[in-house]
Amino acid sequence: MKALICIGHVPDTTSKIKFTDSNTKFDTTDIKYVIGPYEELALTRLLDLKDAGIEMHITAVTVGPVDTEPTIRKALAMGADNAIRINAEPTDDLFTAKQIAEVYKNGDFDVIITGKESIDYNGSQMEGMIAEFLGLPSISGASKFEIEGDKAKLEQEIEGGNLVLETSFPFVVSAGKGFCPEPEPRIPNMRGIMMARKKPLQVTEPVAQDAVTEVTQFYLPEAKPACKIVNPDNVEELVRLLHEEAKVI
Amino acid sequence: MAVLIYTQNYDGKFKKSTFELVTYGAAAAKELGTETVAVTTGKLDDTVLKELGKYGASKVISITNAELNDFSAQAYASAIEQVAKNVNADLIVFGNNPYGRAVAPRLSVKLNAGLAAGVVALPASTSPFTVKKRAYSGKAFADVIIKSDIKIVSLNQNSYKVKENPVDITTEEFSAEIPDGAYTVKPIEVIKSSGKLSVTDAEILVSGGRGLKGPENWGMLEEMAEILGAGTSCSRPVSDLDWRPHEEHVGQTGKVVAPNLYIAIGISGAIQHLAGVNGSKIMVVINTDPDAPFFEAADYGIIGDAFEVVPKLNEAFKKFKEEN
């Protein structure tokens, strides 16, 4: 099986978020970049399936300028076989999805996997857009991913439960929590890092697609007033505050 | 021109989150000076459909194809595209929920319409069309301009208040053309969750963290949830340790929630957890450690041992409920 996995280059989840240039740009000072957590989950799942004996070739792809290369190299060090970087800023979702669709057309892939959402822009639209560009089926936020012969079995969360799905290849899926049942972090060892340097990383230029969205301004949430501390021996006071002051019970 | 709102029904009924969408759509239509049209799938009772008029929809279109009883992102996107073209929609509103996340991006490509996912407010301006959305997983917000002729937004649950705004409503049926191959992904079955209130629907959440020491200690949280008519949720370590099911995990990599009241018990308040819950209207923290970061974010706090505080608090809540 040939899998194309989209890797996002995002601030580490523990990052404190700040902005510069009158809140128009993300402040990258002291920010550590990582593979998006959902993409890492998806890659781990593919590697687990490979370890379990399923024949698998994994191509990692990212849309980003040259400073995203350490992130895609990490995907190689974790175990992806080759990597492609499309040399452009991924600022508009339709633009980014179009680039991935183009990579698919030039390859011979059975499945495209993305993360459920990027933890920076929180777009959660890649899998649907890529699939629509290619006329492929899409499954959004899958919480299970099994391969059974020439079929895949997936689960998708819906209101009030989980939908169990079966599909033939090819298709596009975004990985949510549960995609990898027992995610053991694959921390690249020295050998993995050395090997990653020798694995192919191809850089290509983007194809045309007009951007239709633009972020103009960021805001941080408003600071909350200080927490009111209630004495543990007087819990009735908390009940009173929630009822009379906050009016939430 | 019209604002088209995709109104999902659940077993033939609408939920509060659907009324939020219609209220939002009607308010946006007022800004844009256009009509408010709702679209739904399946055959619903007229009285159910007409409920949408209470929140400002002047027309509701039911797509009646039987195929759509099973969900397919391709089939739904195609059917809604046909309706959007018929009513000449210039703004399409989805909920930022599993269906919206699956369908809206496909529609975005079909209509070459810019999509802002996870919006939290009405458009700040209609020209250029500018709307505020959640970014950095709840740690920030961003203004997005959508430049295309047709715009799509998906609204975060609990971020726009339901308001009655009754108008006369007409109902219409529509039979869509379903493209070949739209059901390559076959639905096999639905595994229903335990029937409890889902974390995203609950108006009050009682949430537990590692401070509770083990799954056997959740009884008192479930009791509190029962008294308050609340849902239960948990922090990531708790779901990773399998003390609680994954669907209860709230936080940056779990569910993002915005209840009226969030009660955090034995949760320290790591930045990733807070990112998923800081849309809550009021937050209460109960923790033994006065330096727990949650005290910075919460509105009310009790510094104390959950095993002593929670049973007392349950008694107080019970007494309050009896009296009110």
Side-chain angles (χ1 to χ4, degrees):
Chain A
M1 195 174 87
K2 282 187 77 181
L4 180 64
I5 178 165
C6 308
I7 299 290
H9 166 85
V10 296
D12 182 1
T13 55
T14 57
S15 304
K16 218 170 158 135
I17 304 299
K18 294 186 302 284
F19 301 102
T20 64
D21 294 16
S22 319
N23 285 335
T24 57
K25 283 202 177 69
F26 178 64
D27 184 353
T28 56
T29 321
D30 299 329
I31 294 287
K32 194 180 138 221
Y33 280 87
V34 296
I35 297 177
Y38 296 108
E39 295 94 285
E40 184 165 349
L41 202 64
L43 179 54
T44 307
R45 178 63 182 152
L46 290 179
L47 293 166
D48 286 354
L49 289 170
K50 192 173 184 174
D51 287 350
I54 291 179
E55 187 262 314
M56 179 95 65
H57 183 275
I58 304 168
T59 300
V61 60
T62 196
V63 179
V66 67
D67 58 2
T68 63
E69 279 195 8
T71 304
I72 194 113
R73 285 268 178 221
K74 168 138 189 250
L76 292 172
M78 283 172 68
D81 297 290
N82 69 316
I84 300 168
R85 177 174 71 79
I86 294 130
N87 189 28
E89 286 284 353
T91 45
D92 176 76
D93 291 306
L94 281 177
F95 172 86
T96 307
K98 177 84 173 184
Q99 307 312 319
I100 306 291
E102 204 61 25
V103 172
Y104 174 88
K105 281 190 210 156
N106 296 326
D108 176 26
F109 298 101
D110 300 293
V111 64
I112 306 179
I113 307 180
T114 73
K116 180 182 87 160
E117 65 171 8
S118 67
I119 60 163
D120 49 3
Y121 184 66
N122 301 130
S124 52
Q125 14 196 295
M126 274 305 126
E127 100 286 332
M129 287 185 178
I130 296 165
E132 188 63 41
F133 274 125
L134 295 166
L136 294 178
S138 55
I139 296 141
S140 160
S143 54
K144 197 172 180 179
F145 178 67
E146 306 278 356
I147 295 173
E148 290 172 7
D150 58 355
K151 292 235 161 29
K153 248 194 165 162
L154 301 104
E155 276 181 31
Q156 174 182 34
E157 209 174 320
I158 51 165
E159 301 280 338
N162 271 336
L163 183 60
V164 182
L165 301 161
E166 192 182 83
T167 182
S168 52
F169 294 94
F171 61 91
V172 188
V173 57
S174 65
K177 198 168 160 93
F179 195 83
C180 185
E182 277 159 29
E184 284 293 319
R186 297 209 173 223
I187 299 157
N189 54 22
M190 201 33 105
R191 190 167 160 269
I193 294 166
M194 294 302 284
M195 275 176 54
R197 284 194 198 151
K198 290 186 193 141
K199 288 180 181 171
L201 193 168
Q202 182 195 344
V203 180
T204 62
E205 291 304 314
V207 292
Q209 168 74 33
D210 285 341
V212 287
T213 57
E214 186 189 343
V215 172
T216 52
Q217 183 81 42
F218 291 103
Y219 307 88
L220 290 171
E222 282 168 32
K224 283 211 163 197
C227 181
K228 278 193 188 169
I229 299 294
V230 176
N231 187 319
D233 294 322
N234 186 16
V235 294
E236 291 77 13
E237 174 64 5
L238 177 65
V239 177
R240 188 191 70 78
L241 288 166
L242 291 176
H243 179 57
E244 291 176 10
E245 188 177 81
K247 299 189 171 66
V248 287
I249 59 168
Chain B
M1 302 293 241
V3 172
L4 184 69
I5 305 146
Y6 175 60
T7 50
Q8 172 76 24
N9 71 79
Y10 305 90
D11 298 327
K13 290 205 182 73
F14 293 119
K15 287 207 241 182
K16 183 184 147 237
S17 53
T18 312
F19 302 139
E20 285 175 8
L21 292 181
V22 178
T23 310
Y24 178 92
K30 204 172 160 193
E31 277 189 32
L32 294 162
T34 60
E35 199 190 354
T36 310
V37 182
V39 55
T40 190
T41 54
K43 257 190 175 312
L44 299 183
D45 284 346
D46 237 35
T47 46
V48 174
L49 289 173
K50 286 192 167 163
E51 262 186 286
L52 301 178
K54 245 198 311 198
Y55 306 97
S58 58
K59 190 196 275 181
V60 52
I61 300 171
S62 308
I63 309 174
T64 50
N65 302 61
E67 300 98 304
L68 299 181
N69 289 339
D70 281 325
F71 179 71
S72 146
Q74 275 168 298
Y76 273 52
S78 175
I80 295 168
E81 178 197 17
Q82 293 162 46
V83 174
K85 285 188 170 155
N86 286 350
V87 301
N88 196 9
D90 47 1
L91 173 64
I92 305 171
V93 179
F94 284 90
N96 187 17
N97 55 34
Y99 286 92
R101 283 193 288 270
V103 178
R106 300 200 72 120
L107 199 57
S108 164
V109 172
K110 283 178 183 293
L111 299 170
N112 191 33
L115 163 57
V119 305
V120 295
L122 280 177
S125 126
T126 54
S127 178
F129 187 94
T130 312
V131 67
K132 192 172 179 180
K133 77 179 284 291
R134 183 176 152 261
Y136 293 95
S137 303
K139 293 176 190 169
F141 297 96
D143 274 346
V144 186
I145 292 184
I146 307 180
K147 301 170 186 168
S148 47
D149 292 341
I150 304 174
K151 286 99 179 154
I152 308 178
V153 298
S154 72
L155 179 69
N156 265 8
Q157 205 166 331
N158 280 352
S159 57
Y160 199 78
K161 229 179 153 53
V162 174
K163 209 175 96 200
E164 292 202 10
N165 165 29
V167 296
D168 287 336
I169 183 168
T170 55
T171 59
E172 206 175 287
E173 290 194 356
F174 178 73
S175 175
E177 279 187 35
I178 306 296
D180 289 344
Y183 282 89
T184 322
V185 179
K186 285 190 193 65
I188 307 294
E189 59 172 328
V190 173
I191 305 172
K192 291 220 165 164
S193 45
S194 48
K196 288 191 305 183
L197 203 50
S198 81
V199 296
T200 44
D201 277 341
E203 303 217 345
I204 301 177
L205 275 176
V206 178
S207 201
R210 214 164 11 178
L212 289 167
K213 299 194 169 72
E216 65 280 7
N217 297 325
W218 246 260
M220 58 185 187
L221 270 67
E222 281 169 348
E223 190 190 342
M224 186 185 288
E226 174 92 37
I227 298 167
L228 295 173
T232 51
S233 57
C234 67
S235 66
R236 176 172 179 165
V238 166
S239 97
D240 283 353
L241 290 162
D242 272 334
W243 291 359
R244 300 296 292 180
H246 284 315
E247 68 251 25
E248 288 196 8
H249 166 203
V250 296
Q252 186 164 2
T253 53
K255 299 252 175 60
V256 174
V257 294
N260 281 333
L261 174 59
Y262 184 79
I263 303 176
I265 301 167
I267 301 177
S268 64
I271 190 165
Q272 299 97 317
H273 183 76
L274 293 177
V277 303
N278 64 11
S280 309
K281 191 170 160 225
I282 295 290
M283 293 200 279
V284 172
V285 54
I286 299 168
N287 206 303
T288 44
D289 176 9
D291 295 325
F294 220 125
F295 284 101
E296 298 277 323
D299 300 276
Y300 303 104
I302 293 181
I303 301 163
D305 184 346
F307 296 101
E308 288 166 25
V309 174
V310 174
K312 279 198 283 183
L313 191 54
N314 282 351
E315 285 311 310
F317 277 138
K318 220 185 272 174
K319 195 158 157 264
F320 168 79
K321 284 285 174 187
E322 282 160 10
E323 289 166 4
N324 285 275

